[in-house]
């Protein structure tokens, strides 16, 4: 339970570039919707994206989720890591290929800085594969805590290069 025991609106980033990425994201979505204390509110379209970081890995599929939860950020992280592990995630090289990556991008208007979690997610403001799916399901005027800027402003400053919406 979070401290106020009030439902908090949370945004997640999803990514996969091993196995069947689309199937991995769909199955992750189902698993997330089944977490006790989580209500799924929206799922973005899926995007294919060129790898950021090392280029010698397959293209990614990325998406974003909006949910509401009574869980604390830490409790939610534990549930998400369990889902990553169920999907065969093996943590090897930094910035390497992965079957499933689930990131807490935003947790209400909170900022979290501890050994396990940094919210807002550090790199989100520069990454098209995070910002564009997020913009599909979040209000344009959404403020990014700590940055003093809106989601729409970040999107406007971030070219969609290497990013393509996957038709349904
Ligand atoms: N690149 C893309 N396109 N999508 C991701 O989800 C992703 N995740 C990562 C790194 C390796 C930084 N690159 C990525 O963790």
């Amino acid at each position: 339970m979070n401290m106020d025991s009030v439902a908090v609106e949370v945004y997640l980033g999803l990514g996969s570039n091993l196995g069947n990425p689309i199937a991995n994201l769909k199955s992750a979505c189902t698993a997330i919707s089944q977490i006790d204390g989580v209500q799924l509110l929206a799922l973005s379209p899926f995007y294919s994206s060129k790898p950021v970081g090392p280029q010698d890995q397959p293209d990614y599929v990325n998406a974003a989720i909006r949910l509401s939860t009574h869980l604390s950020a830490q409790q939610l992280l534990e549930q998400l890591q369990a889902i990553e592990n169920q999907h065969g995630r093996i943590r090897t090289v930094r910035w390497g290929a992965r079957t499933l990556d689930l990131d807490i991008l935003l947790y209400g208007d909170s900022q979290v800085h501890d050994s396990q979690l940094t919210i807002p997610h550090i790199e989100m403001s520069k990454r098209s594969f995070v910002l564009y799916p997020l913009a599909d399901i979040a209000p344009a005027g959404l403020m990014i805590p700590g940055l003093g800027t809106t989601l729409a402003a970040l999107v406007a400053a971030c070219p969609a290069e290497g990013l393509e919406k996957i038709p349904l």
Side-chain angles (χ1 to χ4, degrees):
M1 214 87 108
N2 62 56
M3 290 209 286
D4 309 320
S5 175
V6 161
V8 177
E9 198 145 287
V10 175
Y11 292 92
L12 306 180
L14 293 71
S16 169
N17 73 340
L18 283 182
N20 182 336
I22 292 180
N24 293 343
L25 292 201
K26 285 185 177 164
S27 139
C29 216
T30 303
I32 291 165
S33 72
Q34 289 167 352
I35 300 172
D36 259 341
V38 164
Q39 195 187 353
L40 200 68
L41 299 177
L43 169 64
S44 76
F46 289 2
Y47 288 80
S48 75
S49 65
K50 297 285 171 208
V52 169
Q55 304 290 296
D56 59 340
Q57 54 177 324
D59 285 0
Y60 280 80
V61 177
N62 286 111
I65 276 179
R66 175 158 53 96
L67 60 81
S68 108
T69 188
H70 287 85
L71 299 181
S72 68
Q74 187 61 46
Q75 288 169 327
L76 181 60
L77 176 69
E78 281 166 24
Q79 298 295 318
L80 297 176
Q81 287 177 341
I83 294 170
E84 287 178 341
N85 294 338
Q86 285 155 17
H87 286 76
R89 166 104 187 241
I90 297 163
R91 288 166 193 274
T92 48
V93 291
R94 185 158 191 241
W95 290 358
R98 65 275 315 273
T99 47
L100 184 62
D101 193 14
L102 301 175
D103 290 327
I104 302 176
L105 303 172
L106 301 172
Y107 182 87
D109 48 24
S110 298
Q111 297 183 55
V112 180
H113 293 281
D114 63 31
S115 58
Q116 305 225 51
L117 266 177
T118 301
I119 302 174
H121 193 272
I122 285 190
E123 304 280 3
M124 69 174 283
S125 63
K126 298 178 272 181
R127 290 181 167 175
S128 60
F129 67 81
V130 173
L131 293 175
Y132 282 78
L134 191 56
D136 288 329
I137 56 169
L142 184 72
M143 292 295 297
I144 310 301
L147 292 187
T149 176
T150 62
L151 176 59
L154 293 178
V155 169
C158 185
E161 224 169 274
L163 192 68
E164 249 178 272
K165 208 176 272 192
I166 300 174
L168 286 181

